[in-house]
Amino acid sequence: MPTVIGHHNISKDTKHWLSSPKRKELFGSLGITNVRTFVDPQNPKRVAIMMDVPDMDKLAAMMQSKAAADAMAHDGVVPESLVILVETKG
């Protein structure tokens, strides 16, 4: 199961982003586990999540959905800043 990091900017305050239930609702439905949040101490508007993803195709499809767009809007995610990195074994 690959570990995935998604980092992006937020337009709302950090406390709002950290306390949002939307990540758990959205990612939990795909069996994604071990979700951890990160905040850049030099720029609290730059944040990241790390998570274990059992099915990358389902994650990719979900990220294109209206539910994902709504969750990002609620959380203040700046969609054009989103970068997703996938762990490689090498």
Side-chain angles (χ1 to χ4, degrees), residues 5-6 8 14 17-20 23-24 27 34-40 46-51 75:
I5 298 171
H8 54 80
T14 307
W17 182 79
L18 287 169
S19 66
S20 174
R23 279 182 298 279
K24 186 174 183 177
F27 296 139
N34 204 17
V35 178
R36 284 96 69 204
T37 55
F38 301 84
V39 176
D40 180 344
R46 187 170 28 217
V47 297
I49 60 171
M50 182 184 295
M51 56 196 171
D75 288 358

Side-chain angles (χ1 to χ4, degrees), residues 1-87:
M1 179 177 325
T3 298
V4 174
I5 298 171
H7 66 87
H8 54 80
N9 297 330
I10 54 174
S11 60
K12 296 184 179 181
D13 69 70
T14 307
K15 285 183 181 181
H16 174 83
W17 182 79
L18 287 169
S19 66
S20 174
K22 296 297 180 182
R23 279 182 298 279
K24 186 174 183 177
E25 293 169 10
L26 208 59
F27 296 139
S29 68
L30 298 179
I32 292 171
T33 59
N34 204 17
V35 178
R36 284 96 69 204
T37 55
F38 301 84
V39 176
D40 180 344
Q42 301 301 315
N43 178 359
K45 295 284 187 175
R46 187 170 28 217
V47 297
I49 60 171
M50 182 184 295
M51 56 196 171
D52 297 329
V53 180
D55 189 324
M56 290 299 298
D57 291 335
K58 285 184 181 178
L59 175 62
M62 185 273 301
M63 290 302 295
Q64 300 300 316
S65 71
K66 181 173 180 351
D70 291 347
M72 287 192 287
H74 176 272
D75 288 358
V77 172
V78 178
E80 60 272 12
S81 71
L82 177 62
V83 175
I84 295 178
L85 306 171
V86 180
E87 179 183 30

